[in-house]
Amino acid sequence: SWFASYYANTLGMHISKTYPKVSAMIEAWKKQGGDSETLLSNLEKNQELKNVLLEETPWVLEAKSESEQKQKLATLFDLNRSQHLTNQAVKKLGELQTTAGGWSWFKGFYPNRSITQYILYGFSQLKALKAVEFSDDIQAMQAKAVSYIDGEALHRFEQLKKQNKDWQKLKTIPVSDLEYLYVRSAYNQYPLDSKTKEMADFYTSIVEKNWTQFGLYERSLIVVLMQKDGKQNVVRNMLRSYREHAVLSEEMGMFWANNRAHVFMSQSAVLVHTFIMDAFRVGGAKADELDHMKRWLLKQKQTQMWESTHATIDAVYALLSAGTDWFSADNNTTVTVGGKVIAPQQQAQGTGYFKETWHKSEITPQMGKVKIENSGNAPAWGALYWQYYEDLDKITKTGGSLNVEKMLFVEETDVSGRKLVPITENRMLRVGDKVIVRLTLRTDRDLEFVHLKDMRAAAFEPLEQLSGMKWQEGVIYFQASKDASTNFYFDVLPRGTYVLEYGAFVTRTGDYSNGITTVQCMYAPEFSSHTAGMKVNVR
């Protein structure tokens, strides 16, 4: 966390000096006051568009935390404060560095190789951005840390040779050793001794010959290593392979559908993507290709809070260092609804965010035609909502990037065992039947803060009355049963398809509306859909 503080404040000072209009924009937000919608968490914005009040979800504290972060943005560009915090962080980093040269989690703990490599990696990022001139104290820390990771890597190499007689025939190397080569390549001012160079050359030859054996993340590191070694043919072949497996979308940009790799101390598709971007940048990719990859990054931020410090740091670095300059570009987006250009009375400085509302008497059929024109090179996005009242039984299904389907079954038991029978005209419900509600949830992107609400017929009494954490289909969620609905709250919903089931007993006869099932991303309410209304008959 001390290095994150150093990195954030150093990068903040760099942005303030390089892009003066950014600090001016933040200052303007600050003057608008803490109640300005610009400074609110996305969880708190646009409450009228959401299917449930924020206070009824488990995410009240998350919303408060993000709002506080936005309100503190102005302090990031306070040069005096940032310099003080940077000096404090450097002092703490010096205290946490052990005599062996590595950094530890806490003072007095053993040094940790992964932490040390990550801090050295962060220093190299700041240097590449030309965001800082390192002081003598920091350079001394770097020299000790480089010596430490050299010793640790060499020790592992010697152990490998002792324990594996066929070590010279290896086809792959551990990710930690590949990360060592990657980090070490940024510190060539510290020469390798003969034994360490022998190890580095051996590892490098393995990854050069067998790069197809590695995953997306590992390959991105290998590209950088090969580029620095002048192996242009290998770099071209690896980037060609990346392009062959990439998905190119007008909305989402350029990305990799199987991006589920491990990165340093966490798992994050955003982190892996930023490393791939760096590989393309180093390999000489064109600006428009890098802009497509930056678009995917921003689309992730549209639906995610990015609590991870490492993911946010690397994403900011990628957005600043690759492609065209979106920071200083002037975007002008024009929205035309029903042939009339929208001229917003208030527009957030910097982001250009605005909201326009029409009431019932103002809405005409022509407003179904919407045209959006963006004159800048940076992406822009928005959404149009139509809210109206309708009988539950007459509601038709909607779909989209986030989609939900609902099916009802009766659980029956015979000589062959338990089976689920779809509810049809031939299989009417009876009092005492056990109904299984199956909800199929699909999303084409990673989402955070997703609320799924399944309305129940008045004749259905859920089996599970107590609320609590659940685990199904590889995701964790909070399930809460209420009088007329069962609610599911997902902190994180990765891209994919999920089938959730819960049971209910039929308690009375009659004809009932079973309502609809609605799913919505509370962080980006434009991602929402619902099932069609349906009836159930109990005889």
Side-chain angles (χ1 to χ4, degrees):
S1 61
W2 282 112
F3 178 73
S5 173
Y6 171 83
Y7 190 103
N9 284 287
T10 302
L11 190 59
M13 288 189 289
H14 171 67
I15 292 173
S16 179
K17 294 174 183 177
T18 310
Y19 307 98
K21 78 172 191 177
V22 174
S23 52
M25 175 185 70
I26 300 296
E27 188 62 30
W29 291 354
K30 184 180 177 182
K31 290 179 180 178
Q32 291 174 0
D35 294 332
S36 167
E37 193 161 279
T38 306
L39 297 175
L40 291 179
S41 165
N42 284 17
L43 290 170
E44 294 181 290
K45 289 181 182 178
N46 300 318
Q47 289 295 317
E48 71 277 13
L49 300 176
K50 298 177 181 178
N51 298 323
V52 62
L53 293 174
L54 177 64
E55 289 75 12
E56 296 178 3
T57 74
W59 303 312
V60 176
L61 292 179
E62 282 84 351
K64 181 180 178 182
S65 175
E66 188 180 37
S67 294
E68 289 174 348
Q69 289 173 2
K70 289 188 175 184
Q71 290 164 16
K72 290 178 181 177
L73 266 177
T75 63
L76 184 64
F77 299 105
D78 183 333
L79 297 183
N80 292 329
R81 180 181 180 277
S82 293
Q83 188 62 56
H84 170 71
L85 292 176
T86 299
N87 293 337
Q88 185 181 21
V90 170
K91 181 181 177 181
K92 290 292 184 181
L93 284 173
E95 293 174 357
L96 288 171
Q97 190 173 30
T98 65
T99 54
W103 277 283
S104 60
W105 278 110
F106 297 100
K107 189 175 181 179
F109 278 36
Y110 288 111
N112 183 280
R113 180 184 177 186
S114 294
I115 295 174
T116 304
Q117 289 182 172
Y118 196 86
I119 291 175
L120 285 172
Y121 159 70
F123 279 135
S124 68
Q125 280 186 310
L126 292 174
K127 183 180 178 181
L129 281 173
K130 299 180 181 179
V132 64
E133 290 290 335
F134 294 124
S135 65
D136 292 341
D137 290 342
I138 294 179
Q139 290 185 35
M141 284 193 286
Q142 290 175 351
K144 290 172 62 179
V146 168
S147 177
Y148 167 76
I149 63 173
D150 282 348
E152 287 294 302
L154 187 59
H155 174 71
R156 284 171 57 93
F157 184 57
E158 295 298 335
Q159 291 296 314
L160 170 67
K161 291 194 289 186
K162 289 180 181 179
Q163 297 170 8
N164 188 345
K165 295 179 180 180
D166 297 325
W167 62 273
Q168 292 177 314
K169 299 179 182 179
L170 289 175
K171 300 294 184 183
T172 61
I173 63 174
V175 176
S176 58
D177 290 321
L178 178 57
E179 290 171 348
Y180 160 75
L181 293 177
Y182 175 79
V183 172
R184 189 62 174 85
S185 68
Y187 293 88
N188 289 329
Q189 67 269 36
Y190 305 109
L192 297 169
D193 60 36
S194 58
K195 289 186 177 181
T196 310
K197 188 175 187 308
E198 176 192 351
M199 172 198 66
D201 290 343
F202 173 69
Y203 283 159
T204 303
S205 67
I206 291 177
V207 298
E208 178 185 351
K209 297 173 185 175
N210 303 284
W211 60 265
T212 56
Q213 304 291 320
F214 293 88
L216 287 173
Y217 164 61
E218 292 86 353
R219 291 187 189 189
S220 68
L221 306 187
I222 296 172
V223 168
V224 176
L225 290 172
M226 295 299 103
Q227 179 69 25
K228 290 182 177 180
D229 280 353
K231 306 290 178 61
Q232 297 299 326
N233 286 336
V234 180
V235 172
R236 281 194 292 269
N237 290 336
M238 294 185 72
L239 293 185
R240 185 185 303 116
S241 176
Y242 267 125
R243 292 184 177 103
E244 289 172 354
H245 292 88
V247 177
L248 193 59
S249 162
E250 183 178 358
E251 178 198 1
M252 300 297 292
M254 184 176 179
F255 64 99
W256 286 263
N258 59 334
N259 180 359
R260 288 290 187 272
H262 293 260
V263 183
F264 283 150
M265 293 171 285
S266 61
Q267 296 181 20
S268 169
V270 170
L271 278 167
V272 176
H273 191 84
T274 60
F275 277 97
I276 297 174
M277 284 183 65
D278 196 48
F280 271 76
R281 180 186 63 82
V282 169
K286 294 181 180 179
D288 61 340
E289 191 171 39
L290 291 169
D291 283 348
H292 283 307
M293 298 171 74
K294 286 167 67 172
R295 181 185 295 271
W296 184 88
L297 269 184
L298 286 183
K299 291 297 288 183
Q300 301 310 295
K301 189 65 191 77
Q302 181 186 9
T303 59
Q304 301 166 39
M305 187 182 283
W306 282 3
E307 297 94 338
S308 166
T309 302
H310 301 309
T312 305
I313 284 174
D314 287 334
V316 170
Y317 172 80
L319 291 170
L320 287 175
S321 63
T324 55
D325 184 1
W326 288 355
F327 237 152
S328 56
D330 290 322
N331 256 33
N332 185 19
T333 303
T334 303
V335 180
T336 305
V337 179
K340 181 180 178 181
V341 177
I342 305 302
Q345 295 181 349
Q346 284 189 329
Q347 202 165 2
Q349 187 172 347
T351 64
Y353 173 83
F354 70 90
K355 180 167 63 176
E356 196 78 17
T357 304
W358 294 271
H359 297 287
K360 180 179 179 180
S361 59
E362 301 173 292
I363 299 174
T364 63
Q366 290 74 23
M367 296 176 75
K369 295 182 179 180
V370 180
K371 182 180 180 181
I372 301 175
E373 296 175 292
N374 182 15
S375 61
N377 62 344
W381 62 72
L384 187 65
Y385 305 86
W386 185 21
Q387 295 177 312
Y388 58 95
Y389 292 102
E390 181 61 278
D391 292 338
L392 281 175
D393 300 337
K394 297 179 181 179
I395 295 176
T396 57
K397 176 179 170 54
T398 63
S401 300
L402 179 62
N403 187 44
V404 63
E405 296 177 1
K406 178 177 180 177
M407 295 183 68
L408 298 180
F409 298 89
V410 176
E411 182 178 296
E412 295 183 351
T413 304
D414 56 19
V415 292
S416 61
R418 173 180 174 270
K419 63 180 181 180
L420 298 180
V421 180
I423 297 175
T424 63
E425 294 180 358
N426 297 325
R427 178 54 174 94
M428 304 293 288
L429 288 175
R430 295 184 290 270
V431 174
D433 280 344
K434 182 179 179 181
V435 175
I436 300 298
V437 181
R438 176 178 294 172
L439 305 174
T440 303
L441 194 57
R442 295 182 177 89
T443 173
D444 66 357
R445 66 199 70 195
D446 296 338
L447 302 173
E448 291 184 358
F449 309 110
V450 176
H451 172 232
L452 174 64
K453 179 179 181 180
D454 179 44
M455 300 178 73
R456 294 190 313 272
F460 291 169
E461 189 67 24
L463 271 68
E464 298 184 61
Q465 300 288 336
L466 298 179
S467 302
M469 299 301 296
K470 302 288 183 180
W471 170 276
Q472 276 193 68
E473 292 288 300
V475 291
I476 300 174
Y477 57 90
F478 184 82
Q479 181 175 330
S481 295
K482 298 186 177 182
D483 289 341
S485 64
T486 298
N487 294 263
F488 305 81
Y489 302 92
F490 302 85
D491 281 339
V492 178
L493 188 66
R495 181 178 70 246
T497 300
Y498 306 90
V499 179
L500 309 176
E501 293 183 351
Y502 72 93
F505 282 114
V506 180
T507 59
R508 58 181 67 88
T509 60
D511 297 332
Y512 301 93
S513 170
N514 197 42
I516 61 174
T517 302
T518 305
V519 63
Q520 185 176 49
C521 174
M522 300 288 287
Y523 198 78
E526 59 267 32
F527 294 95
S528 176
S529 70
H530 58 75
T531 63
M534 61 187 300
K535 285 186 175 182
V536 292
N537 303 309
V538 183
R539 296 291 179 261

